[in-house]
Amino acid sequence: MTGYLLGVDAGQTATKAVLFDLTGRAVAVGAARCPTVSPRPRWVERDLNEVWRAAGEAIRGCLGEIDPGQVLAVAVVGHNDGLYAVDAAGEPVRPGITAMDSRAHQEVQRWRTAGIFEELLALTGQVPFEASPSALLAHLSAHEPQVLESARWLLFCKDWLRLRLTGEIATDRTEASASFCEVRSGQYSERALELFGLNGIRDKLPPIRGCAEVVGEVTAEAAGFTGLRAGTPVVTGAHDVDAAAVGDGVLSAGQLSLVAGTFSINQVISDAVAVDPRWQARAFLLPGRWLNMSTSPASATNLDWLLRTVIGPVPHEQIDAEIGEVLAERSDVVFHPFLYGSPHGPEASASFLGLRGWHTRGHLLRALYQGVVCNHRTHVGALREAFPMHGTARLSGGGARSSVWPQLFADGLGVDVEITDTEEAGARGAAVLAGIGVGVWPDLDSAVADTVRVRRRFTVDPIGAERFDSHYQRYLDLIGALTPVWTS
């Protein structure tokens, strides 16, 4: 079989469309940004039609001069949590809500106080956080009831885009497990809906289809907008972190994978359920396996904020060079990367501490890099308590593009770190699912064997690890000291 597979990865601020050949090599990339807005404190939203516009722009840019008839299949993956609600005609009923949103913090606190977290954890494999669909829907029920009255379908980001591509409503097991599914069966739970006080939304939840199942074809209208050929098969897709694990070749129980992007994603696959409020036990792509994710919105997006609001545009190569100049010095400056959230409670905020007049921009940037790794370390430490880990960790996301950050991850986490041969692991995972859906590969193992290769490896440096241990303890001590300030 010859041809290409198109993987579309819809993140929280931008969408990438990547065309892969059948060896997993990217042959073309298109990208478009879809800015978010914050009309009120804690709100992070974006226009659903702008999300579709960005996807169309990315796909057109990716296809370029390529014959669309050579595209064998398409799959879309995207950020999980948040909410994208549409009416019976498939039109948006309000702006989409991203996973960076925290308006529903009071609903989460109310459930915590009511003492239902323990049952929710045992039933669904997780407890809700501010951007969980359950929390957002409870908030809308109280403050925007007309939205739930008008909504016919409550979707995730990638399901909205696939709806525009095909006209079909569906979701998959990885996304459906975000709030309302029983953790072992992967099916919607009436008891979970009852605990959340959301019994009335059951018929608004989309049907669950296989991640690599063909669920529709590109419509004539979508073909005109994207440049794809009408009739091209479209596969269900998955949560982008599951797709990133596939795109990085992580399928076995016990291997750690990390995504340093908008969110700090730290995940390990297991073949048995283990629940803890510090991670989310969600369905993996393969039946009988779970992806245990310990996450917070506190990773490489902190660098984007610093460059955008304080420093200005600086090439990443220059950032790495400036950090390299001060890397061997004592780490006096500590950064807490909690601009949008943290694993230490909703009140925690970001800060630089320990600044002196002789510190340079390099010291600030190093502290930010280290602070992000410290936050990942907090999550990985929780996972290590329950899941035996083996081998190396695979790192993707913006942090993987640096020549310095992956070494800090290795030293900070105490595990060798590998970077595979793509900067778009999520899109490659989507393309793999598309290929399985149309028979290019019989299963995930075969697909990964054909498409994933390790490009760089960073081994733990004992001196660097010792230095990082000291920095991490200082980081934790300062969190302890600041907690009364955050909660006052």
Side-chain angles (χ1 to χ4, degrees), residues 238-293:
H239 183 186
D240 57 5
V241 300
D242 293 79
V246 171
D248 272 337
V250 178
L251 297 179
S252 63
Q255 186 172 9
L256 177 67
S257 61
L258 312 159
V259 183
T262 304
F263 261 65
S264 168
I265 306 290
N266 312 271
Q267 53 196 24
V268 62
I269 297 168
S270 68
D271 51 17
V273 174
V275 298
D276 188 287
R278 293 173 295 173
W279 63 78
Q280 303 150 330
R282 295 189 178 179
F284 189 51
L285 300 159
L286 299 168
R289 289 191 183 174
W290 289 263
L291 191 64
N292 304 280
M293 302 180 295

Side-chain angles (χ1 to χ4, degrees), residues 44-45 79 81-84 94-99 101 103 136 140:
V44 185
E45 301 185 343
H79 80 82
D81 297 296
L83 185 68
Y84 293 72
R94 75 169 322 282
I97 304 174
T98 79
D101 195 280
R103 75 187 67 187
L136 292 172
L140 292 177

Side-chain angles (χ1 to χ4, degrees), residues 119-367:
E119 183 176 354
L120 285 169
L121 180 63
L123 178 64
T124 68
Q126 63 209 295
V127 294
F129 75 107
E130 290 82 356
S132 298
S134 54
L136 292 172
L137 288 167
H139 183 88
L140 292 177
S141 178
H143 301 281
E144 299 181 46
Q146 72 280 3
V147 169
L148 294 187
E149 292 171 5
S150 302
R152 175 63 187 91
W153 298 107
L154 305 170
L155 304 176
F156 296 101
C157 179
K158 70 104 166 54
D159 299 329
W160 157 247
L161 293 177
R162 195 185 54 255
L163 171 63
R164 293 306 304 261
L165 281 171
T166 67
E168 300 292 332
I169 293 288
T171 194
D172 75 287
R173 56 187 281 113
T174 66
E175 300 242 72
S177 63
S179 274
F180 306 120
C181 285
E182 198 278 326
V183 64
R184 288 170 178 80
S185 71
Q187 299 301 309
Y188 292 129
S189 164
E190 296 294 343
R191 177 56 178 162
L193 292 166
E194 180 184 349
L195 287 169
F196 290 125
L198 294 169
N199 309 67
I201 69 161
R202 174 62 184 86
D203 66 346
K204 300 177 188 289
L205 301 178
I208 302 171
R209 306 284 291 271
C211 300
E213 180 181 346
V214 174
V215 292
E217 299 178 342
V218 174
T219 66
E221 180 182 359
F225 186 67
T226 62
L228 290 163
R229 177 181 57 82
T232 302
V234 180
V235 165
T236 310
H239 183 186
D240 57 5
V241 300
D242 293 79
V246 171
D248 272 337
V250 178
L251 297 179
S252 63
Q255 186 172 9
L256 177 67
S257 61
L258 312 159
V259 183
T262 304
F263 261 65
S264 168
I265 306 290
N266 312 271
Q267 53 196 24
V268 62
I269 297 168
S270 68
D271 51 17
V273 174
V275 298
D276 188 287
R278 293 173 295 173
W279 63 78
Q280 303 150 330
R282 295 189 178 179
F284 189 51
L285 300 159
L286 299 168
R289 289 191 183 174
W290 289 263
L291 191 64
N292 304 280
M293 302 180 295
S294 189
T295 69
S296 60
S299 190
T301 192
N302 283 270
L303 178 62
D304 296 336
W305 173 86
L306 188 69
L307 297 179
R308 185 178 68 251
T309 62
V310 180
I311 293 177
V314 180
H316 286 269
E317 296 78 9
Q318 183 176 338
I319 292 173
D320 286 350
E322 292 186 22
I323 292 174
E325 291 175 0
V326 301
L327 198 55
E329 297 180 15
R330 175 185 166 89
S331 298
D332 292 323
V333 185
V334 173
F335 177 69
H336 292 126
F338 308 143
L339 288 168
Y340 301 102
S342 88
H344 306 284
E347 298 86 5
S349 60
S351 60
F352 281 102
L353 295 164
L355 285 172
R356 300 284 189 173
W358 54 82
H359 286 131
T360 67
R361 185 168 71 178
H363 291 98
L364 288 175
L365 290 165
R366 179 187 64 174

Side-chain angles (χ1 to χ4, degrees), residues 97-118:
I97 304 174
T98 79
M100 305 293 284
D101 195 280
S102 61
R103 75 187 67 187
H105 64 106
Q106 291 179 333
E107 281 73 17
V108 173
Q109 181 58 38
R110 174 165 54 83
W111 290 331
R112 182 181 289 110
T113 303
I116 64 172
F117 268 27
E118 184 174 347

